[in-house]
Amino acid sequence: MLPPASGTGIFVNSSEKVIRLLRQGCTNRPFFHIRRKNQHRPVIEQLGTFDPMPNEHNEKLTSLNYERIRYWIGNGAHVSQPVEQLLGLAGFFPIHPTSYMTAWRNRRATKENQEKSISVEADDKNEVKQ
Amino acid sequence: MLSLTHSLRSLAIAGEAIPSNYKYQAVRWRKPRWVPKAKSKIFKVPERPVIPEEEKLELMRLYNNYRTKVKSLRSYLVAKHCTKFQASEDPEEQRRLFEEDLQHCIKMNNEWNEKQRIFREQAMTEELEANLSYARKRLEDELIKQEEKIKAIEEIVQKQKEAAKNFILPENIDEAIDKALENPVDYNFAITLNGEKIIGYYNHKVGDKNENVVKQ
C-alpha cells in the first residue's frame, strides 16, 4: 500500500529533515507538494502545495502551512532553495537573492528588447524617408 | 538483466558474451560509462557562464545579508519551537508543576481507593452472607435426606420382621418337612382354553375324579 499524500507522520529523531518540493502530477503537468522529507523514506508531513502552471489569471497558486513550517524549522529542518524562494515571495523569509537576480535579468532583457524594437522602428522610418 | 542485455544489443556494443555474475548498475544512460567521448567532441570545451563583476559583488552582498537574516530567524524559531530547549526550560518551574501534578494524582487515587474500599467491604459481607446461607441450606437438605433414608431403611426392616414369622427354622423344620410331604404340589400340567387343568398320567393320584387324566 502506498503511504498517504499527507505523509505518514513517522520519523526518526536523529534523521535529517528537509522542507522541499516533491513532484506530483503527471507528464507535462507538474504539481508540487511542499513536504518535510528525509531521503529514501516516506514523506513525514505535507506542509503546502505549489502549482507552477499559471492559471487563467496568470497566477501560480501556492498554499503554505506557516504554523507547521515554523515548528519544523525550529526543530532543525533544512529548507531547499526553491522553497526558500517561495517563502521569500510569500513574506515569511527575506527575499532570496536569486529572486532579485531573476528580476533584474528579466528587467534588463525587456529593456534591451524595447531598445532593439525602437532602433528597428527608427531604421524603418529612415529607410522610408530616403 | 534481460532488458539490460537487450538495450546493450540495441546499442550494438555487446560484442562479447556478458558473464552471468557481472553486476550492472542501473543508470539511465544514453551511453555506457566505458564508452569514450565522441571523436567530434574531444576538443570541445563547454563555455563557462560569464557573470559581470558588478553583478557578482551585488549577489555576494545579497547572499550575505540573506544568510544573516535567515540565521537570526532560524535561531528565533529554534528558541521558540524546539522541543529539546522547551523541555529544559526553568527546572524549578518544571519540578513545581511535576509536584503539583503528582499531588493531584495522589489525591485522586486516594479518593478512588476510599470509594473502592467501601464498595469492596460491602461486597465481601454480602458474599460471606450468601455463602453462609448456602451452607446452612445444604446442611438442612442433608439432614432431611438422612431422615428420609432412615425411614426407608426402617420400612424395609419392618417388612422383613413381618416376613420372619413364616421362616423355616431348626425348631420347626420337621413339621415343615411333614407338611410338604403331605401336600405335594405338582406343576406339571397343561391348561386348555377353557381353563381346565390336564394333569399327567404318572402324577395322577387315585381318588381325584374331577381332573382329566391323559396318558403321555
Side-chain angles (χ1 to χ4, degrees), chain B residues 156-206:
Chain B
I156 292 165
V157 169
Q158 210 65 37
K159 269 184 191 171
Q160 287 300 317
K161 272 183 185 169
E162 286 285 318
K165 286 170 188 169
N166 300 324
F167 285 175
I168 295 163
L169 297 170
E171 292 91 64
N172 57 3
I173 191 164
D174 294 328
E175 208 175 303
I177 290 165
D178 288 343
K179 203 180 174 184
L181 286 174
E182 272 169 24
N183 307 305
V185 183
D186 179 26
Y187 297 105
N188 195 10
F189 57 82
I191 296 169
T192 63
L193 287 171
N194 303 328
E196 291 172 39
K197 279 185 184 174
I198 299 166
I199 298 162
Y201 178 75
Y202 293 109
N203 293 342
H204 178 66
K205 265 194 232 166
V206 181

Side-chain angles (χ1 to χ4, degrees), chain A residues 70 73-75 77 79 84 92-98 101 104-105 108, chain B residues 51-52 55 58-59 62-63 66 69-70 73-74 77-78 81-84:
Chain A
R70 242 180 265 143
I73 289 173
N75 281 294
V79 185
E84 275 180 338
F92 184 82
F93 266 11
I95 289 176
H96 199 264
T98 49
M101 194 180 71
W104 77 55
R105 280 182 182 172
R108 196 188 293 157
Chain B
I51 301 166
E55 203 166 293
E58 178 65 8
L59 273 176
L62 284 175
Y63 261 111
Y66 179 79
K69 282 177 189 169
V70 166
L73 192 63
R74 192 176 273 275
L77 288 177
V78 165
H81 294 287
C82 190
T83 44
K84 273 186 201 166

